[in-house]
Amino acid sequence: MNRRLGTCAVVAAGVAFATLAPAPAQASEPQPRIVDTTVITEVTPLGYKVTGLALEYDGTIDLGTADVDEAAFAVRATLARPGAPTLEGARTVVDAYASDRPGFSDTQRPGSFIILELDENDPLAAGSYNEGGFTRLFDLVGSYSVAQVASVVGAAADTSHPGNAEKAQKLNGHPGRTVVNDDVIDLIVDDYAAGSYTAQSGATLPYRMFTPALDAESSYPLVVTLHGYGESGSGNIEQIAGNQLSVAFADPLRQARHAAFVLSPQADPTDPRKGAWWSPAMQTAVIELIEKTIAENPRIDPSRVYLSGLSMGSYGSWGILGQRSDLFAGALLVCGAGSEAAAVAQLTDFPIWAVHSVDDSIVAYDAPGSDYRIFRALQAAGAPVTWSEWSGLLPDAEQEALAAAALTAAQADGSKHLFTTFSAGTTPLFDHGSWIPTYTNDIMIDWLFAQ
């Protein structure tokens, strides 16, 4: 059943639910009906998408191991945004199963929910849109409707008593009944706390903070992420929902390998009181926020603070590292630029893995100060650099194998600087999107946590 196992919000209590015994359905016997539905979103490698619905029934659904027919449900999306035509159409259900909670699962179990997994490649799967170059999120409350259009029949799960193997529960779906969602669960994103920091300069820096599951004694790394220009704004959400830059580190599977705090501030270049990451005042504000975060969280290991930025966030990262590389143990930087002179002066011995598409049309690969030019300058200054190139369209396993080979070469050469080029025409979505295959590459992220 599902490949996506994220944490999820709990539906508010307060409604008394009747529990149905797994007995044969009778004409006069009341059947559970859908009383509520909740949209489930995920930040996928290709962006913020609606990937599921949790249908809440007013009774317990016990279908045993019977498969739920995906065609028994009709789902429609209606996506509205200011100044643009409303988008409306059907969504494709790719899996359906009973559950005792409003989230994805690998196992069907008795409960008051039926979970519908939706095709993330549907034309209307997106939960966000582009507005003037910025990522903005649809208001998804009330945007999805669902109706059960055919009966769902399942064998009783408990066959330990004589006769139970023949018993079944049947949901006829109450034909004609359509339910509209009144809530949204954002997997992983909902696990971040929101905050705001006012720097000594007066700049206001909204941020999101993910806290790992803490044990009694351990200390944990801190990952600081700086978003790209497109995730700028004042909503304090786009920097973690716009792409996988931040949530890649908070994902439950990643946390199982490398439990860590994740700090993700947001810049707003349209607001002169805030500005972009390449603003020195904003870079200073980020440094202050990091120092404050470490000071207020004794469970953070100050020797294992990592920096990762993409595009505009890579510009900011190079600027911050040039001032305070002592704050960090390593950096993973994507499709940005900085000062070649500052890097040579300050970063010849600092671990950095940078990634850039050779045909990037937004931040030119070979422009003065680009990641590539900085690494050439580092190499000219005597710092070993390990170069690699592959297609960003290869399957994850193949890209990770190539990254592992690059890492092995770096270790053999004693190199703390790795540079990966994505070949022309091989970056997913568009030529600037080199972060898409970067943050799904376990080898690159494992390398960061090893510093």
Side-chain angles (χ1 to χ4, degrees):
M1 232 164 262
N2 188 314
R3 71 268 180 204
R4 300 182 296 261
L5 299 177
T7 56
C8 60
V10 177
V11 172
V15 180
F17 297 128
T19 300
L20 292 186
Q26 304 294 328
S28 60
E29 182 181 302
Q31 296 186 24
R33 65 174 185 165
I34 304 172
V35 294
D36 196 9
T37 184
T38 299
V39 160
I40 303 173
T41 73
E42 291 180 277
V43 183
T44 76
L46 300 183
Y48 177 71
K49 296 192 176 187
V50 176
T51 56
L53 289 177
L55 314 185
E56 186 176 7
Y57 285 73
D58 60 358
T60 297
I61 312 302
D62 186 354
L63 302 175
T65 59
D67 185 56
V68 179
D69 184 4
E70 294 84 7
F73 302 91
V75 178
R76 291 191 66 80
T78 303
L79 303 177
R81 61 186 178 101
T86 297
L87 305 175
E88 185 173 5
R91 291 295 310 275
T92 305
V93 180
V94 295
D95 201 3
Y97 45 91
S99 182
D100 59 356
R101 65 198 67 185
F104 297 129
S105 175
D106 278 332
T107 305
Q108 179 162 266
R109 57 176 66 89
S112 58
F113 296 93
I114 287 184
I115 306 302
L116 306 182
E117 295 187 14
L118 305 178
D119 187 348
E120 64 184 54
N121 297 312
D122 281 347
L124 293 181
S128 63
Y129 58 93
N130 183 289
E131 182 179 71
F134 297 106
T135 298
R136 297 293 178 253
L137 308 186
F138 285 111
D139 181 359
L140 294 174
V141 174
S143 65
Y144 271 71
S145 64
V146 60
Q148 186 180 329
V149 295
S151 295
V152 173
V153 180
D158 181 8
T159 59
S160 61
H161 300 290
N164 267 13
E166 286 75 37
K167 293 181 180 180
Q169 184 178 39
K170 180 179 180 179
L171 308 178
N172 67 14
H174 295 264
R177 178 176 175 78
T178 299
V179 179
V180 176
N181 79 293
D182 62 2
D183 201 2
V184 179
I185 293 172
D186 294 314
L187 297 181
I188 305 178
V189 169
D190 285 342
D191 296 328
Y192 285 73
S196 180
Y197 173 69
T198 301
Q200 295 180 18
S201 66
T204 300
L205 198 60
Y207 65 87
R208 293 277 178 157
M209 178 78 165
F210 176 88
T211 299
L214 303 174
D215 65 18
E217 299 179 356
S218 299
S219 60
Y220 298 84
L222 169 66
V223 180
V224 181
T225 68
L226 296 185
H227 63 78
Y229 185 82
E231 294 74 57
S232 303
S234 57
N236 199 14
I237 188 70
E238 294 86 357
Q239 78 271 30
I240 57 173
N243 53 51
Q244 288 197 312
L245 164 65
S246 180
V247 299
F249 297 100
D251 182 274
L253 295 178
R254 169 56 55 191
Q255 286 284 313
R257 290 165 67 111
H258 300 292
F261 292 85
V262 186
L263 177 64
S264 302
Q266 186 178 33
D268 187 358
T270 67
D271 185 341
R273 297 169 299 175
K274 296 175 67 178
W277 295 135
W278 44 71
S279 160
M282 289 299 285
Q283 293 173 13
T284 300
V286 172
I287 292 170
E288 291 178 18
L289 175 60
I290 295 170
E291 292 177 323
K292 175 178 179 290
T293 300
I294 294 171
E296 293 180 351
N297 292 273
R299 305 300 295 277
I300 292 175
D301 181 352
S303 71
R304 298 189 65 205
V305 179
Y306 307 114
L307 183 61
S308 190
L310 65 85
S311 193
M312 182 180 78
S314 180
Y315 278 85
S317 297
W318 282 114
I320 289 169
L321 290 172
Q323 301 172 60
R324 290 296 309 276
S325 61
D326 61 295
L327 270 178
F328 307 96
L332 177 61
L333 307 181
V334 185
C335 61
S339 166
E340 297 170 39
V344 169
Q346 302 291 333
L347 302 173
T348 54
D349 199 41
F350 183 84
I352 303 173
W353 196 327
V355 181
H356 211 128
S357 298
V358 71
D359 55 347
D360 193 320
S361 61
I362 305 299
V363 180
Y365 181 82
D366 197 20
S370 69
D371 300 323
Y372 170 69
R373 291 283 284 268
I374 289 175
F375 272 67
R376 280 180 51 188
L378 287 168
Q379 187 174 53
V385 174
T386 299
W387 305 92
S388 57
E389 180 173 349
W390 61 76
S391 166
L393 298 176
L394 290 173
D396 283 351
E398 293 184 32
Q399 295 196 52
E400 289 173 357
L402 291 164
L407 181 54
T408 298
Q411 292 167 339
D413 292 341
S415 172
K416 294 186 177 181
H417 300 95
L418 296 91
F419 190 93
T420 296
T421 301
F422 291 132
S423 306
T426 71
T427 307
L429 284 189
F430 68 130
D431 54 31
H432 186 51
S434 46
W435 58 84
I436 296 170
T438 296
Y439 293 107
T440 59
N441 193 307
D442 284 339
I443 299 301
M444 290 182 173
I445 297 181
D446 285 346
W447 169 89
L448 185 64
F449 280 106
Q451 308 310 310

